């Protein structure tokens, strides 16, 4: 009965050794039993010892659970939500929730790693406040320079004024490109226009 109680193939190497010892100790206790009651007790005791030895499946389940918990914790601290705007914070929360669901649904550690990587990629695709601000500044600069180019028609000016006009536009663009924020872009554009307006006088 004890020999066929479990399959040694269900255990990892270290636990196979524990199993062999438990079976051997159980058999010794059974052999030393003085009556049927003692045999039953010895057998049950041996089974209890065997039941306490973790199988490969037990270890695999524990390792998978640990990997899932670690992956979800990593997802929680992957980025700081305060670096995002309100709309993007909602997208971030959704990406994290979806990532955790995928991690929880993973059937092995490889799938956990894939789910984590996928969630991180989704988060990486959400723009931070700094990224959006940089894009908005770049757009404002492009629009301001285009507005400067079309502010007046160089053909309406005499040759000497055209040179002044070209210089005013070039200087205005340099100032716009050097602007640190949209307010500074607007100021640089207004200054350049003022210089152009004076060249008409």
């Amino acid at each position: 009965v004890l020999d066929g109680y479990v399959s040694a193939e269900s255990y990892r190497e270290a636990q196979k050794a524990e199993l062999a010892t438990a079976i051997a100790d159980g058999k010794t206790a059974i052999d030393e039993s003085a009556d049927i009651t003692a045999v039953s007790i010895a057998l049950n005791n041996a089974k209890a010892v065997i039941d306490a030895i973790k199988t490969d499946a037990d270890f695999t389940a524990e390792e998978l659970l640990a990997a899932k918990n670690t992956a979800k914790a990593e997802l929680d601290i992957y980025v700081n939500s305060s670096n995002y705007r309100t709309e993007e914070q909602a997208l971030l929360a959704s990406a994290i929730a979806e990532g955790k669901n995928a991690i929880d649904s993973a059937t092995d550690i490889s799938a956990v790693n894939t789910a984590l990587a996928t969630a991180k990629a989704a988060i990486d695709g959400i723009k931070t406040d700094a990224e959006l601000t940089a894009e908005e500044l770049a757009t404002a600069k492009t629009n301001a320079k285009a507005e400067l180019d079309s502010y007046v028609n160089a053909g309406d000016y005499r040759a000497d004024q055209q040179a002044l006009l070209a210089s005013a536009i070039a200087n205005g663009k340099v100032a716009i490109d050097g602007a640190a924020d949209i307010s500074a872009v607007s100021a640089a554009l207004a200054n350049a226009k003022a210089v152009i307006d004076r060249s008409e006088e």
Side-chain angles (χ1 to χ4, degrees):
V1 175
L2 211 50
D3 281 327
Y5 184 55
V6 295
S7 170
E9 295 309 309
S10 299
Y11 297 79
R12 296 183 180 181
E13 290 307 313
Q15 285 66 46
K16 283 180 181 178
E18 290 180 31
L19 177 63
T21 298
I23 291 172
D25 289 346
K27 286 181 177 179
T28 297
I30 290 169
D31 286 338
E32 293 174 352
S33 297
D35 54 42
I36 292 176
T37 299
V39 168
S40 179
I41 291 172
L43 176 60
N44 288 335
N45 287 343
K47 284 182 176 180
V49 172
I50 292 170
D51 289 341
I53 300 171
K54 291 179 180 178
T55 63
D56 178 51
D58 291 332
F59 280 114
T60 298
E62 287 180 0
E63 291 159 355
L64 178 58
L65 179 60
K68 287 181 177 182
N69 289 337
T70 298
K72 289 187 287 185
E74 188 174 336
L75 210 51
D76 278 330
I77 62 170
Y78 185 54
V79 295
N80 186 341
S81 63
S82 64
N83 292 331
Y84 296 77
R85 296 181 184 178
T86 302
E87 185 176 340
E88 283 65 38
Q89 284 179 350
L91 294 175
L92 177 63
S94 178
I96 290 173
E98 288 176 11
K100 287 184 176 180
N101 285 338
I103 288 168
D104 280 330
S105 298
T107 55
D108 55 44
I109 291 177
S110 175
V112 168
N113 293 335
T114 298
L116 176 60
T118 299
K120 284 183 175 180
I123 291 171
D124 290 340
I126 300 171
K127 292 177 180 176
T128 64
D129 177 50
E131 289 171 332
L132 290 171
T133 298
E135 287 182 359
E136 289 161 356
L137 179 58
T139 298
K141 288 181 178 182
T142 297
N143 291 342
K145 288 187 287 186
E147 188 174 337
L148 207 53
D149 279 331
S150 63
Y151 184 55
V152 294
N153 185 347
D156 294 337
Y157 293 75
R158 295 180 180 179
D160 53 345
Q161 269 69 41
Q162 285 181 355
L164 292 174
L165 174 63
S167 178
I169 292 173
N171 290 338
K173 288 183 177 180
V174 169
I176 288 168
D177 281 330
D181 55 41
I182 291 177
S183 175
V185 169
S186 297
L189 175 60
N191 289 341
K193 284 182 175 180
V195 172
I196 293 171
D197 290 341
R198 285 196 297 272
S199 70
E200 294 177 330
E201 298 172 359

